[in-house]
Structure formats: C-alpha cells, structure tokens
Amino acid sequence: MHHTANEVEHEPESVIQRRQRIGLVLLTIFSLAYGGFIGLCTFAYTWISETSVAGVPLTVAYGVGLIAMSIAVAMIYGLMNREAK
Amino acid sequence: MVYETSSIAIAVFLLMVAGTVGLSFYLGARARSSHGYFAAGGSIHWFVNGIAFAGDYLSAASFLGICGMIAFYGFDGFLYSIGYLAGWLVALLVIAEPLKRLGKYTFADALASKFQSDGIRTAAGFSTLIVSLVYLVPQMVGAGALVKPLLGLAYWQGVALVGSIVVVIVVTAGMVSTTYVQFLKGGLLVLFSLILTVLVMMRGVEVHPEGARSNPQRITVDADGAKYVDGVRLGLKESERNVAPVGRVLEMADGSTKTGPLGPVGYLRAISGSRIELSSPAKKSIEDGRPVVEYAPRVVDGRAMMAPGNLPTFQGIRRAEVYPKLDFVSLMLALFAGTASLPHILIRYYTVRDQASARKSTIVGIGAIGFFYLLTLYIGFGAMVSGALDPSDSNMAAPLLAKSFSELLFAAVSAIAFTTVLGTVSGLIVAAGGSVAHDFVAGMLRIQLNDSQMIRVAKIASIIIGGLAILAGLAFEGMNVSYLVGWAFAIAASANLPALLMLLFWKGTTKQGIIAGVVVGTLASLFWIAVCPEMFKTMYGLDPARAWVPFSQPGLVTIPLSFAVIVGVSLASVEKIEDRRE
C-alpha cells in the first residue's frame, strides 16, 4: 500500500487551535439561530405561523435566512482562515 | 397515474443514464492502486470535490422527497432542507480538517489515529457498515418508487435494477469515477433545478379556469392487479381513464386571475395569499374484497401551507402533548448532527490533497447544496399550483412540474433523478466496501493484503452489501422515505459524532471511552428504532401506543447518551489505569 499524493500540512499547533476556536464560535452562533428556529416552530407554533416579514410568513423568512446564514458562515470561516494562514 | 412519454424523452433519459455509467467505466479503468481506488489518489481538485459533495449528498430523498413534500404539505418539506444543510456547518467548522489531518482512507482511520487501536477501528468499521446499510434502505425504497412510474417497471424490478447497476459501477470503478459522476450529477441537479425555478417564476401564479373539482377519485385494484379509476380501467386509451392531476389555484388575494412573471419574494407572497385545491392523503378501504384508495379534493389556504405541522409526521407540533413535539426536535437534532457523521461524506475528505482543500471543498459544497435547497422551496410550491400533481405519488412532483413545461425537461429531470439515486447508492457502497477491507480485514483480523487483494476484498464486500441493500429495499417497501433517512442520520449522529468531537476537544478521552461510545451509540439508536411507535405501526402492524419508547426519532436521547458513555467510561478507565500504577 502506498500513500503518495495525500499530503498532511504540518501547521503550527497555534494555527490549528486558532482555527478550532473560530470554528467553535461560529458553530455556537449558528446553533443558537438553528435551535431558536426549531424552538419557535415547536413551542411557539401559533406565533411563528401568524407573523409576517415584508408580506412573507416568518417561518419561510426565517428558514430562508438560516440557509443564507449557513452559506455566509461558511464563507466567513473560509476568509478568516485565509487571513490566518 | 399513467405517464405518457415521447420517444424523444425516453431517448434523452437513456442517453443521460448511459453517459453517466459510461463515464464511470472510463474513469474506473484508470484507478489501479488501492489509494486510487479508495481515495482517488488524493488528487481531486477541491472545487470538483465540493460539487461532488453536492452530488453525493443530494439524494433522491432530497430532490424528489423534499419537492414532493413541499408540493403536498408546504413548509414541512422545507424543514428537511434546512436541517440537511445545517449539518454541513458541523462538518466544515469542526470535522473536515482534523479528519483529513488524522486519517487516510476511512473515518475509522481518524478515530483510531491517536491510540493506534484495533478496537476503535473495529467499532468504527461496525458503525460505518450499520449506517451505510440503514442509509441505503431509503435510497433503495426511493429507487423502486421512482423507477416504477418512469420506466413502467414493478417496484421489485426497480430496486433490483438500481442495485445491480450500482454494484456494476462500484466493482468496475472506484473513487475517481465515483467522484466525477457525483460532480456531473451534482452540477446537473443544481443547474436543472435553477432552470425549473426560473420557469416557475416566469409562469407566475394563475387561477385554474375550471375552478374546483368536487368529486373524489377512487382507485380500485382487481385480483389480477388491473386498476380502475371511478370504475373505468386505468390507462391512456379513449375507453380508459387516467388519474386526474391535482394542484390548482382557486382564488388569489387581490381577486386577479393571473400574476404574470414574479420575483422570488413576490412569488412567495402570491402563494401565501392564494386558496389552493390539493388532494387529501389516501384513504384506504376494502370493498367486495378489493382494495380501494380514495383521493378527495381538499382546499387549503396558501398561508397555512407556509406554516409547519401539515405533514402527518409533523402534526404533533400543533398538539399540546410533549412527546410528539420531542419527536420533531429529535429529528431536527439528528439532521443537524448526522451529516458530519455519514461515512460516504466523510471518505470524500480523503480524495483531496490537504486540509486547506478539505476546507475549501466543504465551502463549495455548502454553497451548492444551500443554493439547491433554496430552489426546492420554489420547485415545491411551483408544483403545488402547477395543476400537474399526481395525487397517488408525491415523489413525482418535481418531474411532473418539469413535464408541465416540456417533455424534454421531464426526460432530463427524470434522468437526473435516476442518476441521483445511482450516485448516492454507489457512494454508500464504496464507503461500506472500503470499511470492510481496511477496518475489518486489515485492521481487526490483521490480515496483510497487497494492493490488488485489498481492492478485491472491497469489491466482494460491495457485491454483498449491494445484495443486502436490494433485500432491505424490498422489505421496507411503502415506508416513508424521509422518515427512514431521519433514522439513518440519527444512528450516524449517535455512533460517530460524539466520538469524533470528544477525541478532538477533550483530552481525557480514552480508547475504551471511544469504543464504548461508538458501540452504545449505534446499538442504542438501533434498539430505539426497533421498538418505536412508527415501527410498531408500519412494520409490525401493531398498536403504536404499545411501543416501548414514547417517540420514534432516537437522536434526542441516544446522542447525549453516547457523549455520557464516552465521558463515564473514559473517567473509569483512567482511574483503573491509575489504580494499577499505584
């Protein structure tokens, strides 16, 4: 068995730890937004179903917002780590 | 419903499927070493790998299932879109780079790396096999349900056809060809979904000129299998009758009859302000010894369809009882935690060169998958008001929406849906076969294998796993595909994620703790599923109230349980080692 092309970058431990910290902070922020959405759908069903944002039901606006936030968080993480490197 | 397809449509369908399989064979011939077969030699460009993530991940359940759910039950289908995507952030932010740094071929490599433990490797290999098999079940059930109307085959023939094609692809190919097939499939899926969405918005919303349909449709099945619609034989000839399509707008908020082209926000507003006629869920009965299925029209408020709780499995969130609510929370937790634990996703991190490529490819994947899930909202609601829905098959919502625009688009979307099934199933079988070769034969049994023997073992394992997948697909016919996917995510999240996170973030984690966490997480979630209300109702034909556990989705209990077991066993095993030292 040969393991040729796969490379393991030997980064300093401090860089790896900084990246892990950034990852955990961003994940915590997103988890709160996701958990809040699930919590509202489950335990404030009537309120979230009847509230609107710019004529669009809050359920849909929040859901679309979460998808947009996922993409934004991913890009922020990518940019922050490019700087870190 | 019986579908009429033109010869051009069938030709486009066959051409696209043949192209996918042909590409797979061509590229497969180039993978000769085991590193090439299992990990594409680590040579895949991060952008290609990112789109291939989308191809791997966007299964039939994502495309056909979610669009169908939104078309018939509104916002509830979109909840799956949100949950499926959210899990990718866990993969990007905490899993991707360490996994690439620590492993070589399989998820078990990374988990076993710190302790060089065959026990961890065996436990992780065991969980990989279980998760792959459980995730294969909904894929095969979806394949059977899809091929049935598209090619006019029986359910079992559809399952056997997909299973056989995939085994041939996997045995003749490897990770390079699987990656490029996924890349192609992922790219085409996003592109055609975008085309469908643009067409939906250009069409806008229109009140149906015939108004409401008042009579239900009754489908009777004879002893010889012949079907009748309201007493007339089902078919396309003049003397026969087809199931009438449903999904029409009866009235719009401002009293107009046609909106013309709309933007993304305007489209949602128009749907929200409409009254829409759909079909009620099938009501089944027996008359004169013959099974009868009735689809009655039901008029819904567009606004109500944008609230959660319309889907039968989600209706519990509207009730006061706690357990149905916990079932929903448990599913959404499993979707969030399960993505970063799916074996066929994790092995894709070994096909790129380094950690930076792993990170960048995940970001590309999140962009493509997130964009696709946004489009499902418009494809689903577009299908809901297209007047083209088949009341007897929600999985056909997206292809039938395409058919309402053009036959060619129908053929292309159907072919992409079919290759979607092939792609995800082949990814899962490659992951499971690789795990057998590396984790069980080379790791647990410590049998020294050279390159070609390693590949041969993986291929033999793939054939057996493909056979098991076909049998499972046949056994679970008729089960809710999305529910089955939820279970696969719950098992993956309970078995793999706690072990990975604890290994990365808690220095007190021991070898024994990881083994116990993986084994308990896997077995506890499997046990929970086996004795849950949904299994009692659907598989055992028993009263769900007699189930041993109060709700059907295990994640809310078994994920924390796995964390607790890792902490408990790690602390206990450290104490034992210290006692021995004293």
Side-chain angles (χ1 to χ4, degrees), chain A residues 1-3 5-7 9 19 27 30 34 37 42 45 49-52 54-55 59 63 67 74 77-78, chain B residues 33 41-42 75 82 89 97 100 104-105 269 303 306 308 318 325 328 332 350 352-353 355-356 359 363 370 451:
Chain A
M1 223 172 14
H2 56 96
H3 311 145
N6 257 357
E7 288 174 16
E9 287 171 69
R19 193 177 296 141
L27 186 63
F30 181 79
Y34 181 78
F37 177 67
T42 315
Y45 165 78
S49 300
E50 289 174 0
T51 309
S52 291
T59 46
I67 290 186
Y77 179 72
Chain B
S33 69
F75 185 71
I82 295 164
L89 284 182
E97 290 159 74
K100 175 67 187 165
K104 286 193 180 73
Y105 293 115
R269 275 194 204 129
R303 173 76 207 209
M306 291 192 177
R318 294 182 179 185
K325 289 178 186 289
F328 170 72
M332 296 309 284
Y350 301 121
V352 291
R353 203 170 51 119
Q355 293 100 291
R359 179 172 67 241
I363 295 169
D451 257 20

Side-chain angles (χ1 to χ4, degrees), chain B residues 291-372:
Chain B
V292 179
V293 184
E294 184 177 297
Y295 301 97
R298 85 182 155 125
V299 177
V300 296
D301 189 13
R303 173 76 207 209
M305 295 307 276
M306 291 192 177
N310 291 299
L311 192 70
T313 47
F314 286 176
Q315 276 168 0
I317 62 173
R318 294 182 179 185
R319 300 213 298 265
E321 300 101 275
V322 174
Y323 287 137
K325 289 178 186 289
L326 292 184
D327 194 48
F328 170 72
V329 173
S330 191
L331 170 69
M332 296 309 284
L333 174 67
L335 299 187
F336 184 53
T339 301
S341 321
L342 293 173
H344 68 301
I345 298 299
L346 297 178
I347 59 165
R348 192 150 285 296
Y349 284 116
Y350 301 121
T351 62
V352 291
R353 203 170 51 119
D354 50 26
Q355 293 100 291
S357 302
R359 179 172 67 241
K360 284 190 272 188
S361 63
T362 315
I363 295 169
V364 170
I366 289 174
I369 294 165
F371 183 59
F372 168 80

Side-chain angles (χ1 to χ4, degrees), chain B residues 198-205 258-261 382 386 401 404-405:
Chain B
V198 170
L199 288 172
V200 161
M201 287 189 201
M202 296 292 287
R203 179 191 266 170
V205 180
K258 194 173 181 178
T259 62
S386 65
L401 171 68
S404 73
F405 291 108

Side-chain angles (χ1 to χ4, degrees), chain A residues 36-79:
Chain A
F37 177 67
I38 304 304
L40 287 175
C41 284
T42 315
F43 300 104
Y45 165 78
T46 311
W47 180 78
I48 197 171
S49 300
E50 289 174 0
T51 309
S52 291
V53 178
V56 175
L58 179 59
T59 46
V60 175
Y62 200 150
V64 169
L66 275 177
I67 290 186
M69 185 181 178
S70 304
I71 298 171
V73 166
M75 291 171 76
I76 290 167
Y77 179 72
L79 288 172

Side-chain angles (χ1 to χ4, degrees), chain B residues 46-71:
Chain B
W46 55 266
F47 182 80
V48 173
N49 202 52
I51 301 295
F53 267 132
D56 243 334
Y57 192 64
L58 298 175
S59 62
S62 282
F63 181 45
L64 301 174
I66 288 178
C67 293
M69 266 193 280
I70 296 175

Side-chain angles (χ1 to χ4, degrees), chain B residues 505-551:
Chain B
F505 296 104
W506 187 46
K507 285 184 181 151
T509 308
T510 64
K511 179 176 79 178
Q512 292 84 349
I514 290 182
I515 295 171
V518 171
V519 172
V520 170
T522 310
L523 294 180
S525 46
L526 277 175
F527 175 76
W528 186 286
I529 290 166
V531 299
C532 75
E534 182 68 22
M535 281 297 257
F536 266 58
K537 191 174 81 179
T538 319
M539 287 299 285
Y540 312 145
L542 297 171
D543 179 7
R546 289 173 55 200
W548 295 7
V549 289
F551 52 89

